[in-house]
Every structure is written in structure tokens, then in C-alpha cells.
Amino acid sequence: MQQYGFSRRTKLDETDSPMRRIETIPTVNIEHRITTTSNPLDMTGWCVEKSASVVETTTELLSLIQKEPSLSNERREEILALLRPALWNGTKLVAFATGRTWNPEQVEDLWTGGERAFRRFAIFHGLMEDPKKRAHLELDRLRASVLDALSRERWEGRPLIHTLCNNVAPILRERTTRLVDLTEQLTMGEIEWGEYKDAMAAALDSAAQGIEAMEGP
């Protein structure tokens, strides 16, 4: 199985586009290689990137056209009729390039779902990480480090946790403010080490529940 990793262009300015482009495509695991008789180089990553760009741009155009007030209904339908085969074929190309299963239901989702639908499509085909899975992974790493620090004496554990809280993964920042507050209280002498340890364990559990309640893509 070959791994492909490459960058996507950063999002356009809000004044240029109502949709936020995904910033980075993570490493994609693909079992096949795409080559041609005239070019023996592995073109799989290139095919994934270009076909995904077609789907992304077509979805963006759909969003713009469906909201454009200056278009008559007749003209809007004419343009949409031209975009449907582009979206249909673009999703097939992505499925071929990534080795995932093509599903016509994804086309219908993209047709009406806009940016959120594209994110679901990108996650399914390995072009974007599932934010909930990423958040759980980062929290598991943080939990292991915090619990290790809590098992130590206060003088040793508190500085470690303070550093961990200051370097928490961006995806966790909104979910771990309680950890920062508790550590500040401990530093100021407002709570004891034993109370702090119990409160931190509860805060980590609360963070996990918050991640689970995150709205999907």
C-alpha cells in the first residue's frame, strides 16, 4: 500500500468565495498505482488532487449559482444541468483515484449540501481527517500525559501539566479550558493537589463528552 501526502491551496478570501477550502490533504493510503504507457511515474497522487479539485470547485459553483439572485429560474436550471454531469463524473474520478467505492448518493448530497457535503465527501475518500476522530486522538494523547504527571508529586507534576496545557492541540483548545483554569487555581494555591487531581480527571472526561457531542462535518 502506497502513501501519498500533498498540500491543498489555502481557503479563498470570504469576499471571493462563500466556501472554505480544505487546507491540507493528509497522507492517503492507496493500494494501487496509476501510470501510463508514456509516463512510468506514479501519477496516483496527482490524479487524486486534480479530481478532488474538480469536485470541490463544482460544489462551490453550485452553491454560488443556487444563491445568485440575478439569475432567472430558467437560466439557473440551464447552468445546473451542465454542472450535474461534471459533479457526477468528478466524483467517479475521485473514487477511481483513491480506490474508494463510488456512491451516487454522495452526488445528491453534494448537489444540495454545499461545503458540509464536500467535507463529508473528502473525509470518506481520505482527503480530509475526520475532526472528531482527530480530537479524540489528541485528547487520548493529552490524557495519558496528564495522568502520568498527576501520578507524580505536586512539585514535579504541576509544571509538566502547565506545559501540556500551554501546548494543547488547536482542535482541543475550546474543550480543555477547564484544565487550564484548574491548573491556574492550583498555582495560586486555591485548591490542594488531591482535589486538583480529582477535578482534572473529571475535566478530561468532560472534554471527551464534549468531543463526542461535536457536530459532524
Side-chain angles (χ1 to χ4, degrees), residues 143-174:
R143 183 193 295 272
S145 297
V146 168
L147 293 180
D148 175 70
L150 290 174
S151 68
R152 306 174 185 228
E153 296 295 328
R154 181 189 185 284
W155 64 268
E156 184 180 13
R158 190 206 63 79
L160 293 174
I161 296 175
H162 185 270
T163 299
L164 289 169
C165 289
N166 285 338
N167 293 280
V168 69
I171 198 170
L172 290 181
R173 284 174 186 162
E174 293 184 4

Side-chain angles (χ1 to χ4, degrees), residues 83-134:
L83 288 177
R84 180 171 281 277
L87 188 63
W88 193 271
N89 293 328
T91 55
K92 285 186 175 182
L93 289 172
V94 172
F96 168 76
T98 61
R100 267 65 168 186
T101 302
W102 180 79
N103 188 337
E105 293 181 0
Q106 291 181 338
V107 178
E108 299 307 317
D109 187 29
L110 289 165
W111 191 257
T112 59
E115 178 188 4
R116 292 175 63 83
F118 177 75
R119 288 182 176 273
R120 288 191 289 271
F121 176 83
I123 289 171
F124 176 83
H125 287 280
L127 310 180
M128 177 188 287
E129 291 184 305
D130 185 329
K132 184 180 290 188
K133 288 183 179 179
R134 167 53 58 185

Side-chain angles (χ1 to χ4, degrees), residues 23-112:
E23 292 78 13
T24 303
I25 290 182
T27 299
V28 181
N29 294 316
I30 299 176
E31 296 182 354
H32 61 261
R33 296 173 70 248
I34 299 175
T35 62
T36 67
T37 55
S38 60
N39 185 355
L41 297 177
D42 185 355
M43 300 300 293
T44 310
W46 183 88
C47 290
V48 171
E49 181 177 358
K50 300 309 178 185
S51 59
S53 179
V54 169
V55 174
E56 181 184 18
T57 301
T58 304
T59 305
E60 182 176 334
L61 284 171
L62 280 169
S63 180
L64 289 171
I65 291 167
Q66 290 165 349
K67 296 175 182 178
E68 177 53 52
S70 65
L71 288 174
S72 65
N73 289 336
E74 181 179 2
R75 185 56 175 163
R76 192 189 319 276
E77 290 303 316
E78 289 176 351
I79 297 174
L80 291 176
L82 295 172
L83 288 177
R84 180 171 281 277
L87 188 63
W88 193 271
N89 293 328
T91 55
K92 285 186 175 182
L93 289 172
V94 172
F96 168 76
T98 61
R100 267 65 168 186
T101 302
W102 180 79
N103 188 337
E105 293 181 0
Q106 291 181 338
V107 178
E108 299 307 317
D109 187 29
L110 289 165
W111 191 257
T112 59

